[in-house]
Amino acid sequence: MDRTGTGQTGPSETELMLKGYGLTVAEIFYRMPDHRHVLNSYIWQDYDLAPDHPRLFGFIEFWQREIEGPLHSVRFSHRKLIGPGEWRNVVGEFHLH
């Protein structure tokens, strides 16, 4: 799966979660470039590390540098879906009739 946008394959979602990453979802409110009184929203989500959130803040920096619509506000939530202590490797499987 290409998560970086560069065409290179990165770690799987399961590998990221086992390394401590959790799902971060951000709602970004921004002003329209031609109509500054109009607010629009954009939803962003990716696996990120709390509490520093380097991917989210990297995206916000990209937005401020490259996108014409100035940011109004950002609100986000973060949730770890699994941790290393909650995952176990299953070697066999039994089918019951």
Side-chain angles (χ1 to χ4, degrees):
M1 177 159 116
D2 176 16
R3 298 176 39 72
T4 62
T6 62
Q8 298 177 355
T9 306
S12 71
E13 292 177 359
T14 303
E15 290 172 324
L16 288 173
M17 288 186 281
L18 290 173
K19 291 179 181 178
Y21 284 76
L23 186 62
T24 301
V25 178
E27 186 174 21
I28 299 169
F29 293 94
Y30 64 97
R31 298 191 182 279
M32 299 296 289
D34 295 337
H35 305 282
R36 298 293 171 124
H37 60 282
V38 177
L39 281 178
N40 204 358
S41 67
Y42 178 80
I43 303 295
W44 175 93
Q45 77 175 28
D46 201 353
Y47 288 94
D48 210 350
L49 286 170
D52 296 331
H53 300 286
R55 290 186 177 182
L56 173 60
F57 292 126
F59 180 76
I60 291 171
E61 289 172 4
F62 164 79
W63 185 293
Q64 291 174 327
R65 190 176 58 249
E66 302 291 333
I67 307 294
E68 289 184 29
L71 293 176
H72 175 270
S73 59
V74 176
R75 61 183 190 174
F76 66 95
S77 66
H78 176 86
R79 178 165 170 92
K80 280 185 140 181
L81 302 175
I82 63 172
E86 300 169 1
W87 182 86
R88 62 188 175 105
N89 187 19
V90 176
V91 179
E93 184 176 334
F94 296 99
H95 293 278
L96 299 174
H97 301 288

